[in-house]
Amino acid sequence: MDVEAFVSVHQPQWDRLALLTRRQRRLTGAEAEELVVLYQRVGTHLAALRAGGADPVSIGRLSGLIADARGAVTGAQAPVWRDISKYFLVSFPAALYASRRWWITIGLLFYLVAAWTAWRVLAHPEVVSSIATPEEVKQLVNHDFQSYYSDNPAQDFALRVWINNATISAAVLALGILLVPSVFVLWDNAMNLGLSAGLMIANDKGGLFFSLITPHGLLELTAVFIATAAGLRLGWSWIVPGPRTRMQSLAQTGRATVGMAIGLAAVLLVTGLIEAFVTPFLPGPVRVTIGIVVELAFFTYVWTFGRHAYHHGEYGDIDESDREATAPVSA
């Protein structure tokens, strides 16, 4: 396709669409119909330019025109609260359910690595001596581990925990497209958890360890597993695209992955609040019960809303009307 000739022929229609879009509130009935026809036609033009290898600047300008025209054609946007409710009741749980095999498998492997590390510490005390001195171990198990949850004001601690967990989740999500780095980040966290568990259990502080970790840790780690799974799925979609092209597979999975970030931030906010306001102040059995109930509530949320949305064709992608315009084009 001769891109320059194509642009020259269709430029008047694009200019007309831009004019009608700017005058959307003052259109006659005939002009409104013309706007709809041009919007559909220019969408096909955009797909043809992409297929013809047009320069990114031209494609970007036409994409912007299509986006503006879409707003004029569809009229008033849905209220913000409706978008938010749709996200948390449909899009986000659907994305979680669609990737459930990934993050559940990652979670099981994580806990296996943590358990193996804890066993190594318990079965081979010499491993500990290569990591820390007896004084450092004593300081950790008798003071540092527990005081971590109460040394700072609750509101400051909650914010710090949220930022830290969100940073870790963002890292494994972003690095997932490269596959290996994300696995290393998760491996390192599993080893650290297992090391702490082994040291606490070896010093008869296992009950304290689990009563402090369980309230926030179950849901917090689940969020990290989901972020890791989302990132790895993104990388895998490029390697094994299935029936789609690599770019289509990467775009679809990428949109769902980015969309999950907001929901994960909300989940991690909940875990931060539990860690700051529940763990330091409530008795062990109560806070452990809260942690288990919150984790079960999350799984119920995924399997109730997510499964329903997934089986109705949702998988966490944005609405079809908001995606890039495409149309079958013969080169």
Side-chain angles (χ1 to χ4, degrees), residues 32-86:
E33 293 180 2
E34 183 184 6
L35 172 65
V36 174
V37 172
L38 285 174
Y39 165 67
Q40 296 170 335
R41 189 174 299 164
V42 175
T44 304
H45 295 167
L46 176 61
L49 283 178
R50 286 200 176 96
D55 63 280
V57 175
S58 298
I59 292 176
R61 289 175 180 171
L62 202 58
S63 296
L65 175 59
I66 288 292
D68 293 340
R70 181 186 299 128
V73 169
T74 58
Q77 299 296 312
V80 174
W81 65 265
R82 188 175 301 171
D83 291 337
I84 295 174
S85 63
K86 181 179 184 297

Side-chain angles (χ1 to χ4, degrees), residues 77-249:
Q77 299 296 312
V80 174
W81 65 265
R82 188 175 301 171
D83 291 337
I84 295 174
S85 63
K86 181 179 184 297
Y87 173 78
F88 282 104
L89 297 179
V90 179
S91 302
F92 181 52
L96 295 175
Y97 187 82
S99 60
R100 66 195 182 280
R101 291 185 178 89
W102 284 76
W103 53 267
I104 290 176
T105 301
I106 289 170
L108 292 175
L109 292 175
F110 179 95
Y111 286 122
L112 283 175
V113 172
W116 174 79
T117 305
W119 172 82
R120 287 271 297 169
V121 171
L122 293 170
H124 303 279
E126 66 274 11
V127 173
V128 179
S129 61
S130 67
I131 298 174
T133 65
E135 291 74 18
E136 290 173 334
V137 172
K138 185 177 180 180
Q139 177 69 17
L140 173 67
V141 299
N142 292 330
H143 179 266
D144 291 352
F145 192 85
Q146 184 173 8
S147 64
Y148 167 78
Y149 297 95
S150 55
D151 278 351
N152 297 291
Q155 62 273 15
D156 296 339
F157 183 57
L159 179 60
R160 189 177 69 181
V161 167
W162 182 42
I163 293 175
N164 178 67
N165 292 336
T167 300
I168 294 175
S169 297
V172 294
L173 194 153
L175 293 173
I177 194 170
L178 302 176
L179 299 179
V180 176
S182 187
V183 174
F184 274 125
V185 171
L186 205 63
W187 176 274
D188 185 61
N189 278 271
M191 295 280 285
N192 287 334
L193 179 66
L195 176 61
S196 297
L199 291 176
M200 295 291 286
I201 294 172
N203 288 273
D204 298 322
K205 295 293 181 70
L208 177 63
F209 172 83
F210 289 108
S211 72
L212 291 174
I213 286 291
T214 303
H216 67 279
L218 289 176
L219 185 58
E220 178 181 290
L221 287 173
T222 300
V224 174
F225 303 153
I226 291 168
T228 306
L232 293 178
R233 284 186 73 215
L234 184 60
W236 194 249
S237 70
W238 175 259
I239 297 173
V240 183
R244 303 163 294 181
T245 66
R246 294 187 188 278
M247 290 306 298
Q248 288 173 337
S249 176

